[in-house]
Amino acid sequence: MNDYVTPYEAKKTTPEKIAQHVESGWVCGSDIGLSAPPGIIAALDEHVGEKDLADVYYHTLLDWLPMGAYSEEYPGITGVSWFSGGFARKAVNQGIADVMPSYFRDMPSLIGEQNQIDAIFLAVAPMDEFGNFSTGPSAALSEALLKKAKRIYLEVNNHIPRSVTGPVVHLSDVEALCENHVKLPDYPRPELDMVSKQIASYIAEEIPDESVIQFGIGAIPDAVGLALREKRDLGIHTEMLTESMVELIDAGAVTNEKKTLHRGQTVASFAFGSKRVYDFIHENEALTMLPIQYINDPSIIRQIPSFMSINSAIEIDFFGQVCAESMGTMHFSGTGGQVDFVRGAVLSPGGKSFLAFPSTAKDGTVSRIKAILSPGAIVTTSKNDVNYIVTEYGIANLRGKTLGQRTKALIDLAHPKFREELIFEAKKRNIIL
């Protein structure tokens, strides 16, 4: 058997010394969420500031920790967000960071088209006996990044779960590595309010036994997970593995035994949120972690009968145009996988796509159902792709409905205090009589 301990020790250094490799003009990045290594990133910020580096770019997806790339205190490094968390969102709106418009499924190919990626920094599980490091809960873009990057730097963390499948990095391909055994974030789950529970109840009624599901995190997905516990033989094919999904598996509602693809397997591309999820991933042979270009490919999703996709939105207009990534001109997130799953679910035999959200925002002062989208709002899901819309006031399938029929259905889903105004706007535009 090969001895990997000696070369491991030879490449082991500190986060500070890894950061010192970075030079002005470098383009760097990490995979989604927990892939971003906190020790190296903190050291990189200090290095950029101390050496007065310029034009360093760091690409992220679902940023979860503070970093100089999204802070005005470090002008030498600029963040590029492919899907924003809170730090990137704030920085983009301040004008000190940039965004990359993209469908989630297209991100690996766009990485391959980048002119340069000088270095990637990945948080990984400890090395196995064959010299491999598992990227654990982050399988979305790692494969594409590993192929493109000129240099690979690792931060080994024994709290990172080792996935049985998913990308691996071999020691021989690593420029340098460090160890930083810090606990992963364990985010508190939102309290389920009556609005979320009501929305979830409408969705659950539309999901039959043996369906295959996809959803994310938040109050509404958590409520949907709770509402699905009495279902039987559900399957999971999702970009994001969540705690509510693990709960459905533990409750016996998810068995994956009726799936036509990856029978018996929970299939995901990344995980984020709780220790329970990370523990579920570790060496679990019933979990398949795959790159996002496969997970989110509508041509793959459409092959899965009764595929049920549940996502959120910020607002919708009478035509059924859905904005899920901006508040007017204010940046909020990104397209992510919403359109991937909307299209795939609609094409699936018996499949359905649900876009669910409370009827109002800003403490009930603003209707999310509008005659026209807010000025500058980004259209995420087009009027031609939209399927089921759900608020606490009901559920409506917009596919196959005319503009007038859609408008009437959406007004019925709006908060009662806004319906008269919406009817007035519809009549003024001669949409309804």
Side-chain angles (χ1 to χ4, degrees):
M1 182 178 292
N2 290 327
D3 173 23
Y4 292 106
V5 175
T6 300
Y8 179 96
E9 292 297 327
K11 293 188 177 187
K12 187 171 72 171
T13 182
T14 64
E16 291 74 21
K17 289 184 178 179
I18 288 177
Q20 289 169 12
H21 291 208
V22 178
E23 302 174 1
S24 291
W26 273 30
V27 177
C28 311
S30 301
D31 197 348
I32 190 167
L34 298 175
S35 168
I40 294 176
I41 286 175
L44 177 60
D45 292 344
E46 293 302 313
H47 173 63
V48 169
E50 290 175 0
K51 298 299 182 181
D52 199 24
L53 300 188
D55 299 323
V56 177
Y57 288 86
Y58 203 115
H59 292 248
T60 71
L61 184 66
L62 192 61
D63 57 289
W64 67 275
L65 74 167
M67 55 191 303
Y70 294 124
S71 171
E72 57 189 0
E73 297 179 17
Y74 298 89
I77 183 168
T78 300
V80 180
S81 174
W82 294 55
F83 189 92
S84 298
F87 299 105
R89 182 180 304 135
K90 180 179 179 182
V92 169
N93 288 317
Q94 289 176 329
I96 59 174
D98 209 346
V99 296
M100 179 69 75
S102 174
Y103 295 125
F104 203 174
R105 69 176 183 270
D106 288 341
M107 290 182 187
S109 63
L110 292 177
I111 287 170
E113 294 169 10
Q114 295 293 304
N115 291 329
Q116 67 181 91
I117 297 182
D118 295 286
I120 60 168
F121 304 101
L122 302 176
V124 296
M127 184 178 69
D128 67 15
E129 60 183 315
F130 304 106
N132 292 316
F133 300 88
S134 168
T135 60
S138 304
L141 307 181
S142 293
E143 183 180 87
L145 288 167
L146 290 166
K147 288 180 180 178
K148 182 68 177 182
K150 295 178 182 177
R151 304 165 187 87
I152 301 167
Y153 299 96
L154 303 183
E155 181 169 306
V156 180
N157 183 351
N158 59 22
H159 293 281
I160 297 273
R162 180 182 292 108
S163 61
V164 175
T165 59
V168 295
V169 188
H170 194 267
L171 179 63
S172 61
D173 295 322
V174 176
E175 190 85 5
L177 60 87
C178 63
E179 295 180 352
N180 186 29
H181 304 300
V182 295
K183 290 185 178 181
L184 304 181
D186 192 354
Y187 286 100
R189 298 172 71 178
E191 185 175 342
L192 300 187
D193 56 7
M194 292 307 299
V195 169
S196 298
K197 291 179 180 179
Q198 184 62 64
I199 290 172
S201 70
Y202 291 130
I203 295 173
E205 289 177 3
E206 295 289 335
I207 297 180
D209 292 342
E210 302 182 14
S211 297
V212 177
I213 56 174
Q214 171 269 325
F215 52 77
I217 58 173
I220 292 175
D222 274 4
V224 170
L226 184 64
L228 294 178
R229 287 194 179 190
E230 300 305 315
K231 302 292 182 178
R232 292 291 176 266
D233 287 320
L234 297 177
I236 293 174
H237 178 109
T238 185
E239 57 185 26
M240 184 176 188
L241 181 67
T242 69
E243 187 168 353
S244 56
M245 291 178 177
V246 175
E247 288 176 346
L248 285 173
I249 295 169
D250 290 344
V254 168
T255 65
N256 292 304
E257 291 303 322
K258 303 297 181 179
K259 293 171 69 176
T260 56
L261 288 178
H262 305 285
R263 187 183 301 275
Q265 292 286 304
T266 292
V267 178
S269 193
F270 72 99
F272 193 74
S274 74
K275 185 177 184 301
R276 183 176 187 177
V277 176
Y278 313 144
D279 289 344
F280 177 82
I281 292 171
H282 188 64
E283 298 183 348
N284 186 349
E285 295 184 355
L287 171 68
T288 299
M289 301 287 288
L290 293 171
I292 204 66
Q293 67 266 31
Y294 176 86
I295 292 288
N296 282 35
D297 186 345
S299 69
I300 297 296
I301 298 167
R302 71 180 299 175
Q303 298 176 40
I304 305 172
S306 297
F307 194 96
M308 306 288 157
S309 170
I310 304 154
N311 289 288
S312 62
I314 294 173
E315 61 183 38
I316 185 172
D317 70 6
F318 287 160
F319 268 97
Q321 297 183 113
V322 174
C323 170
E325 52 195 292
S326 74
M327 297 177 179
T329 58
M330 186 83 62
H331 173 72
F332 186 76
S333 59
T335 303
Q338 179 172 128
V339 178
D340 302 340
F341 282 103
V342 167
R343 290 179 175 171
V346 167
L347 293 169
S348 159
K352 299 172 185 176
S353 160
F354 304 92
L355 295 177
F357 48 89
S359 64
T360 63
K362 296 184 178 179
D363 296 324
T365 62
V366 175
S367 176
R368 293 178 183 264
I369 295 174
K370 299 178 177 291
I372 59 173
L373 294 179
S374 300
I378 295 171
V379 176
T380 304
T381 297
S382 80
K383 67 186 189 307
N384 301 332
D385 292 319
V386 70
N387 192 189
Y388 284 88
I389 302 297
V390 194
T391 74
E392 70 271 29
Y393 292 101
I395 184 168
N397 182 5
L398 301 190
R399 286 186 67 80
K401 288 185 168 58
T402 66
L403 171 58
Q405 291 170 332
R406 288 178 173 214
T407 299
K408 290 177 181 178
L410 287 169
I411 291 174
D412 287 341
L413 301 184
H415 192 287
K417 70 180 178 181
F418 292 106
R419 291 177 188 172
E420 186 175 339
E421 175 187 344
L422 292 169
I423 291 170
F424 174 81
E425 291 294 329
K427 289 183 175 180
K428 186 171 71 173
R429 291 168 53 191
N430 296 320
I431 295 174
I432 61 176
L433 299 178

